[in-house]
């Protein structure tokens, strides 16, 4: 790993079914996968195929039995003992800059027992109304993306950064429309948003002297008719794409778990995990699935 300043961009695109993703043109996601990897994975058996447990596992590097987020209500979460990687990294690395934004408010605000991310962040409420239209879904994601682009453009190079951008339109389309043309259009639109934040990174005047880790991931899939939370392959298959610092490129032989998002972020930022229950490892180092008891399966 070089001694260039280290920066992390994590883009979460909620509810994107892996098999449907393969049938849609996603040039921005391809930019990541072509110089890194994109691979499906199975949600760990200890967690349901819903947003709360999956994002919690990706951010804390621990399983549901530890972080205690079983659904989309975070009231009983044990995030003090198992904190998210953004707050962990900011506490550990002096001067590390951070930004987070989402229009699913429990991630970044106190709604439903949140925030999952202890430092909070920008929350768009454009999608809150039950009468919200596709235009509202896209506007909510645009508000998040525009602010993310501003943050990515303004960071000081020397002290590094970590940024989380959450896009919600695909999941909302799945719930309201099922997995059809509207769902596919939402994937295409989200890919455009991903392209905007990738462009912001590449446009930085100091980009050539920086190390950037880019991770893009989803939390779960959807049934054909829309909805998730059960145990079908379509619902329990998630995926991760990544490129940049210390990223392997041989996806055909790559084993990953959702907890490894946190594992690789802390590895790149050279921050030790706080929780004794941390099971995430850097991408490319996992040799076996995490056990049902949540014990690590590869050296960190």
């Amino acid at each position: 790993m070089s001694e260039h300043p280290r920066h992390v961009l994590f883009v979460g695109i909620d509810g994107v079914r892996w098999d449907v993703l393969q049938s849609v043109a996603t040039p921005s996601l391809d930019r990541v996968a072509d110089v890194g990897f994109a691979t499906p994975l199975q949600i760990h058996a200890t967690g349901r195929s819903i947003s709360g447990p999956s994002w919690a596992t990706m951010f804390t590097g621990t399983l549901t039995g530890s972080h205690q987020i079983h659904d989309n209500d975070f009231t009983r979460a044990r995030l003090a003992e198992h904190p998210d990687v953004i707050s962990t990294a900011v506490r550990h690395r002096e001067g590390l800059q951070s930004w987070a934004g989402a229009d699913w408010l429990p991630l970044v605000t106190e709604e439903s027992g949140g925030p999952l991310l202890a430092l909070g962040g920008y929350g768009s409420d454009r999608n809150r109304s039950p009468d919200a239209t596709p235009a509202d879904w896209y506007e909510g994601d645009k508000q998040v993306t525009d602010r993310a682009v501003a943050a990515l453009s303004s960071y000081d190079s020397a002290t590094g950064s970590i940024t989380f951008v959450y896009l919600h339109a695909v999941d909302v389309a799945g719930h309201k429309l099922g997995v059809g043309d509207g769902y596919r259009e939402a994937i295409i639109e989200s890919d455009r948003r991903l392209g905007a934040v990738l462009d912001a990174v590449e446009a930085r005047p100091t980009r050539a002297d920086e190390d950037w880790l880019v991770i893009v991931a989803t939390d779960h899939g959807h049934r054909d008719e829309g909805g998730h939370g059960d145990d079908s392959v379509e619902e329990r298959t998630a995926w991760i794409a990544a490129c940049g610092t210390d990223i392997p490129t041989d996806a055909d032989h790559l084993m990953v778990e959702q907890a490894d998002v946190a594992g690789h972020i802390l590895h790149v930022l050279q921050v030790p995990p706080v929780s004794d229950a941390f099971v995430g490892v850097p991408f490319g180092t996992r040799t076996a699935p995490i056990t049902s008891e949540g014990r690590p399966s590869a050296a960190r």
Side-chain angles (χ1 to χ4, degrees):
M1 190 183 297
S2 78
E3 292 307 312
H4 289 164
R6 299 181 177 96
H7 297 260
V8 175
L9 170 62
F10 177 21
V11 179
I13 310 178
D14 201 297
V16 183
R17 233 170 82 167
W18 173 254
D19 61 332
V20 178
L21 184 66
Q22 307 311 297
S23 68
V24 176
T26 54
S28 302
L29 186 61
D30 292 346
R31 287 168 59 182
V32 176
D34 287 350
V35 292
F37 71 83
T39 189
L41 59 90
Q42 293 299 300
I43 297 168
H44 195 271
T46 57
R48 293 177 60 199
S49 59
I50 57 177
S51 294
S54 288
W55 292 118
T57 291
M58 284 187 267
F59 270 108
T60 68
T62 69
L63 300 180
T64 303
S66 298
H67 57 63
Q68 286 295 300
I69 294 178
H70 297 271
D71 50 33
N72 292 337
D73 181 353
F74 297 172
T75 304
R76 296 178 178 82
R78 297 177 58 198
L79 296 174
E81 302 99 314
H82 312 292
D84 67 276
V85 291
I86 296 179
S87 61
T88 297
V90 167
R91 283 197 300 269
H92 188 272
R93 291 185 66 94
E94 183 177 357
L96 184 73
Q97 303 149 105
S98 69
W99 185 91
D103 81 338
W104 187 44
L105 296 181
L107 294 175
V108 291
T109 76
E110 294 180 354
E111 183 167 295
S112 300
L116 174 61
L117 307 181
L119 300 180
Y122 170 74
S124 170
D125 62 0
R126 187 62 182 261
N127 187 42
R128 290 173 62 85
S129 169
D131 299 323
T133 67
D136 293 310
W137 316 338
Y138 296 147
E139 179 61 25
D141 282 355
K142 181 179 185 299
Q143 291 174 352
V144 171
T145 302
D146 288 348
R147 287 162 175 79
V149 166
L152 290 163
S153 302
S154 67
Y155 289 141
D156 178 81
S157 179
T159 55
S161 68
I162 181 168
T163 302
F164 175 58
V165 184
Y166 170 91
L167 303 177
H168 201 181
V170 180
D171 187 55
V172 179
H175 282 289
K176 298 201 173 201
L177 305 175
V179 178
D181 290 343
Y183 182 82
R184 289 174 172 81
E185 177 56 39
I187 294 175
I188 292 169
E189 186 65 24
S190 296
D191 190 71
R192 294 191 188 106
R193 305 289 183 222
L194 172 61
V197 294
L198 295 177
D199 288 346
V201 169
E202 294 306 316
R204 287 176 53 78
T206 50
R207 172 67 182 90
D209 298 318
E210 298 168 347
D211 278 342
W212 277 85
L213 166 66
V214 177
I215 299 174
V216 188
T218 202
D219 49 346
H220 56 71
H222 269 271
R223 297 184 289 272
D224 286 346
E225 66 275 19
H228 52 87
D230 295 324
D231 291 331
S232 70
V233 171
E234 291 78 12
E235 293 165 89
R236 295 198 67 84
T237 301
W239 52 266
I240 295 171
C243 67
T245 310
D246 283 6
I247 289 295
T249 58
D250 185 7
D252 291 340
H253 301 92
L254 190 62
M255 180 182 296
V256 297
E257 300 255 7
Q258 288 182 320
D260 297 341
V261 170
H264 202 86
I265 289 173
L266 293 189
H267 162 72
V268 164
L269 294 177
Q270 298 182 326
V271 173
V274 174
S275 169
D276 290 340
F278 195 92
V279 291
V281 297
F283 299 135
T285 67
R286 182 169 297 286
T287 59
I290 300 171
T291 67
S292 58
E293 294 81 13
R295 287 193 287 268
S297 58
R300 298 193 194 110

